Amino acid sequence: MTQQVPSSLTGPAKTETYDSRYEALDLWPTGTLLDVLLESQLGAVASVKAALPDMEEAITAALPRLQRGGRLFYVGAGTSGRIGLQDGVELIPTYGWPEDRLVLLLAGGDAALFQPVEGAEDDEEAARAAITTHKAGPDDVVIGVAASGGTPYTCAALTCARAAGSLTIGLSCSPETRLLREAELGLLIETGPEVVAGSTRMKAGTAQKVALNMLSTALMIRLGHTWRGQMVDMKIVNAKLVRRAHRMVQQLTDCTEAEAKEALEKAGGSIKLAVLVCFGFSPEEGRAVLEQNAGHLRSVLKNR
């Protein structure tokens, strides 16, 4: 087998290397194949643990910027970019994150959501233009995701955003990469070679999904979008979520179903405000105390 060259030099990233253990993969019984694929996925999840101290540092650095009204940027190409976009867009309904404070940058634009766009991940100028167009600034948090750690589009976007004063966080599944060097804070989640060489939609994709879920969820919790383990800033956008909102208000306040419905109507569909209405606040008083406490129900209801 050809000797592997460190990814920091001219050779392939660790995520792109070949593992001879899987040479006869197509000949294995299906049950064995599934066992191996599952094992690789479990290993990918376990690999996130080593990055927890760096993730904690990133959350600590991001919080004051977001508390001042900064935006969250997700930047990536291909699988990594789509995983980043999924994580970001789900913050809107789940935690009520404002749409105008979320910037999703995928190499190749919207067309790349459904099919590859030739050359998009190599277009550094497009990345710089996107960051400049969105006027990234000191209160913004820009998260770049690249399994190889060397995707030109993602790296260039972080370099440009860092020069503008934004906090830049680079998530790579390969060590000693351009992304980790150019980001202010690097998160290395080393997943190694894939079962199918270079298919980073597998181990690397799983690890990225887990890491981004953890990072964004921890940020939302610290920003006050939960109370007592509930999504109190959830947007009620369908019948299922209407029923969930009623249950949440009942569980959080020990009110009846009828009282929960009435409170939500008075609160204009805001679960957080409906909770305060159930505890005796008028909608106007509730809005005022939430603003005074940066939206944290825990601070308003600290004695409950």
Side-chain angles (χ1 to χ4, degrees):
M1 188 166 104
T2 304
Q3 182 178 6
Q4 294 179 9
V5 181
S7 58
S8 56
L9 301 176
T10 58
K14 289 284 183 69
T15 53
E16 298 291 326
T17 54
Y18 168 71
D19 191 328
S20 61
R21 289 180 299 168
Y22 307 118
E23 184 173 318
L25 191 67
D26 56 310
L27 300 177
W28 294 353
T30 301
T32 302
L33 174 59
L34 291 173
D35 279 340
V36 168
L37 290 174
L38 176 58
E39 183 181 340
S40 73
Q41 293 289 289
L42 295 174
V45 173
S47 68
V48 177
K49 187 170 179 61
L52 293 186
D54 290 333
M55 194 179 297
E56 182 177 356
E57 182 182 357
I59 290 165
T60 300
L63 273 174
R65 290 168 167 84
L66 298 178
Q67 287 166 339
R68 291 193 296 265
R71 295 170 291 172
L72 266 175
F73 285 61
Y74 286 77
V75 186
T79 297
S80 297
R82 295 183 195 100
I83 290 170
L85 262 62
Q86 180 186 7
D87 190 77
V89 77
E90 288 177 352
L91 299 180
I92 298 170
T94 306
Y95 297 110
W97 187 254
E99 292 185 43
D100 61 355
R101 293 178 60 195
L102 180 67
V103 180
L104 305 174
L105 300 179
L106 178 66
D110 290 347
L113 281 170
F114 304 104
Q115 59 187 13
V117 175
E118 185 175 355
E121 74 170 45
D122 299 321
D123 195 343
E124 298 195 20
E125 185 53 42
R128 288 188 286 268
I131 292 295
T132 302
T133 298
H134 286 284
K135 299 180 180 178
D139 284 340
D140 295 327
V141 178
V142 182
I143 304 170
V145 190
S148 68
T151 305
Y153 179 93
T154 310
C155 293
L158 260 62
T159 301
C160 185
R162 187 173 182 180
S166 304
L167 174 67
T168 54
I169 301 169
L171 197 165
S172 170
C173 294
S174 294
E176 302 177 17
T177 59
R178 177 184 172 189
L179 187 70
L180 295 176
R181 290 193 301 271
E182 298 193 9
E184 183 175 342
L185 297 174
L187 300 180
L188 171 61
I189 301 173
E190 195 166 359
T191 51
E194 299 282 353
V195 174
V196 177
S199 181
T200 52
R201 62 183 289 272
M202 295 296 292
K203 287 168 61 179
T206 295
Q208 289 171 335
K209 170 69 173 167
V210 171
L212 288 175
N213 277 176
M214 292 171 60
L215 179 65
S216 61
T217 300
L219 282 171
M220 294 300 111
I221 292 170
R222 288 285 170 257
L223 288 167
H225 295 295
T226 68
W227 184 55
R228 291 174 53 188
Q230 302 265 24
M231 301 178 288
V232 288
D233 276 325
M234 178 188 77
K235 287 192 173 183
I236 306 172
V237 295
N238 57 45
K240 178 189 75 173
L241 296 183
V242 169
R243 293 190 294 271
R244 181 186 293 173
H246 291 160
R247 289 196 304 271
M248 287 169 62
V249 175
Q250 288 179 260
Q251 290 166 359
L252 292 170
T253 66
D254 291 326
C255 71
T256 66
E257 183 178 358
E259 289 169 335
K261 289 180 179 179
E262 182 181 358
L264 279 163
E265 288 174 6
K266 289 181 178 178
S270 167
I271 297 167
K272 187 179 282 184
L273 186 54
V275 167
L276 293 181
V277 169
C278 285
F279 283 133
F281 291 80
S282 71
E284 295 74 21
E285 290 170 338
R287 291 187 189 95
V289 293
L290 283 171
E291 185 174 351
Q292 292 164 10
N293 288 273
H296 286 257
L297 264 180
R298 177 72 65 186
S299 298
V300 177
L301 301 171
K302 54 190 173 184
N303 295 324
R304 292 185 183 271

